[in-house]
Amino acid sequence: AAVLKKRGYRVEVRDVDAAMPSLGAERGFLKEVGNLVFHASLIGVLVSVAVGGLFGYSGQRILVEGDTFVNTLVGYDQFSPGTNFQSSWLQPYSIQLNKFDVQFDRESPAHFGQPIDFTADVTTKDTPDAPAKKQVLKVNDPVSLGDTSIYLTGNGYAPVVTVRDGAGNVAMQGPVVAKLQGDNYYSSVVIKVPDAKPDQLGFAGFFLPTAMVTDKGLAYSGDPSLINPQLNLNSYYGDLGLNKGTPQNVFELDVAKLTPLNGRGMADKAIAIAPGGTYTLPNGKGSITFDGVKKYVGVDIHHNPGQATALVFALLAVAGLILSLYLNRRRVWVRTGTHDDGRTMVEYGLLARGEDHRLAGEAAAIRELLQREWLLTTEQSTDTVSSSTSKDQ
């Protein structure tokens, strides 16, 4: 009994005063515990996922260098709330994009110019009155604000332009997000100026970080860095349709009902200006100035109140599964008595619940422990101890 207890068995001694006392021992109860933990944890994971779906939210926002995002509904470009989410639950944090850097491959001929690292320097505040904190946002390394995680998902260039209308007044000024379309950060640009007078203005074209021209006169970007930035646009005037209240894609311009002012095949060719340059629109419609270039990032914002508990339950499920797979329920019986020739006889047997390929090794280990306990040599134990093993098929 003492030997088996040291090996982790629960032991019950029987018939101590009889001619052939015996005991029954069992271990491996943690296997059943692991099985229970595994199935209970699966339910916990499902509940945690449900909590996240009901009370969480996700959203997207584009931030240009210098912009600040405040966690309010109007601050999102796209917002997807959970079924039971209330806007009043939004944590009043803020994040400002100070600077964004991209490192391009300049060594590998096969991958020359491809981006290899992205780093966004941001300033965050957990609440409006909290002290500002400098943090770094990178791909697969989100910034966490409470239970909210902010991920870096995209980037590009934002040309800064100033548009003046026919009266010489500034109708629009600031960065315009250029949507990536091709290699080397070739990007499409759409500018809508509904405040221009007497006619609304629209621009559509592309931005080239490093403008180059083919033999056929086609412009393209030869490098993703800002080596020779150029803005190429066609301009239009007319009703942009923004006053009707119909949602529009900010990256598309419907020119079907607009009158072109310049473009290929017209007397006034397409606009092609570098930073600092100004183009005067035909017919006294105004002008556009290319002031410079900023960078922007796209961020995904996720708030999942069940994420932490889902992780805990998932780890518990793995732990329970390991226990149920690698622990075995085993039973041992030992009986002792006096042989007909006067020698002490010890019989023992083992049984496993289910398949247990390590049962024979357990029998050998118990035999060795008995030998040590009674100070028997291998020859003596072979002559005096009989063992047998069995398993439940």
Side-chain angles (χ1 to χ4, degrees), residues 42-366:
L42 289 183
I43 297 176
V45 170
L46 294 176
V47 172
S48 299
V49 172
V51 169
L54 290 173
F55 303 104
Y57 65 86
S58 63
Q60 292 78 40
R61 172 63 191 264
I62 292 177
L63 285 174
V64 180
E65 288 177 324
D67 282 356
T68 299
F69 166 72
V70 179
N71 191 33
T72 60
L73 284 180
V74 296
Y76 286 88
D77 295 327
Q78 183 176 348
F79 186 78
S80 301
T83 306
N84 292 349
F85 180 79
Q86 303 294 326
S87 60
S88 59
W89 298 346
L90 287 172
Q91 178 186 351
Y93 64 78
S94 65
I95 178 170
Q96 180 181 20
L97 178 63
N98 302 319
K99 185 179 180 182
F100 179 70
D101 289 323
V102 183
Q103 292 184 7
F104 301 103
D105 189 347
R106 300 303 184 185
E107 297 180 358
S108 172
H111 303 93
F112 187 85
Q114 292 189 4
I116 57 177
D117 188 55
F118 307 90
T119 303
D121 295 325
V122 298
T123 300
T124 62
K125 286 186 176 182
D126 293 334
T127 62
D129 299 329
K133 294 187 296 184
K134 300 289 187 179
Q135 294 185 266
V136 176
L137 177 63
K138 298 177 70 69
V139 177
N140 297 325
D141 187 11
V143 168
S144 297
L145 296 170
D147 294 331
T148 303
S149 297
I150 301 174
Y151 298 86
L152 177 63
T153 58
N155 69 95
Y157 291 110
V160 182
V161 299
T162 299
V163 178
R164 296 180 181 274
D165 59 18
N169 299 317
V170 176
M172 181 267 179
Q173 186 176 41
V176 179
V177 173
K179 185 179 180 181
L180 293 179
Q181 297 289 354
D183 296 334
N184 294 324
Y185 280 63
Y186 170 88
S187 308
S188 62
V189 176
V190 169
I191 304 173
K192 300 177 183 181
V193 193
D195 295 331
K197 304 295 182 182
D199 296 298
Q200 296 181 346
L201 299 175
F203 301 84
F206 52 88
F207 170 74
L208 305 175
T210 301
M212 302 182 74
V213 182
T214 65
D215 297 337
K216 297 181 180 180
L218 298 177
Y220 69 99
S221 180
D223 193 272
S225 297
L226 294 172
I227 299 175
N228 181 33
Q230 188 180 83
L231 197 55
N232 294 263
L233 300 170
N234 292 335
S235 60
Y236 305 85
Y237 74 93
D239 184 7
L240 298 176
L242 297 175
N243 297 328
K244 298 178 181 179
T246 304
Q248 292 188 13
N249 190 332
V250 296
F251 297 110
E252 295 180 359
L253 179 65
D254 185 3
V255 300
K257 298 181 180 180
L258 300 178
T259 303
L261 287 170
N262 66 286
R264 181 174 297 181
M266 300 181 62
D268 295 295
K269 303 299 182 181
I271 303 171
I273 50 177
T278 298
Y279 180 88
T280 301
L281 300 176
N283 304 328
K285 296 298 182 180
S287 66
I288 180 170
T289 301
F290 185 10
D291 299 318
V293 182
K294 291 185 177 182
K295 299 175 183 177
Y296 73 84
V297 299
V299 294
D300 275 357
I301 302 167
H302 294 277
H303 176 78
N304 187 347
Q307 182 174 357
T309 53
L311 175 61
V312 172
F313 281 119
L315 294 176
L316 286 175
V318 173
L321 183 62
I322 292 174
L323 288 176
S324 62
L325 291 178
Y326 290 96
L327 291 182
N328 297 95
R329 290 286 298 273
R330 293 169 179 167
R331 294 176 180 177
V332 179
W333 291 271
V334 182
R335 183 175 61 182
T336 182
T338 303
H339 197 268
D340 294 339
D341 59 7
R343 292 181 298 170
T344 299
M345 178 183 64
V346 177
E347 297 175 301
Y348 65 94
L350 293 89
L351 178 68
R353 291 187 61 180
E355 193 73 19
D356 186 358
H357 300 288
R358 293 175 292 176
L359 190 62
E362 179 68 10
I366 292 176

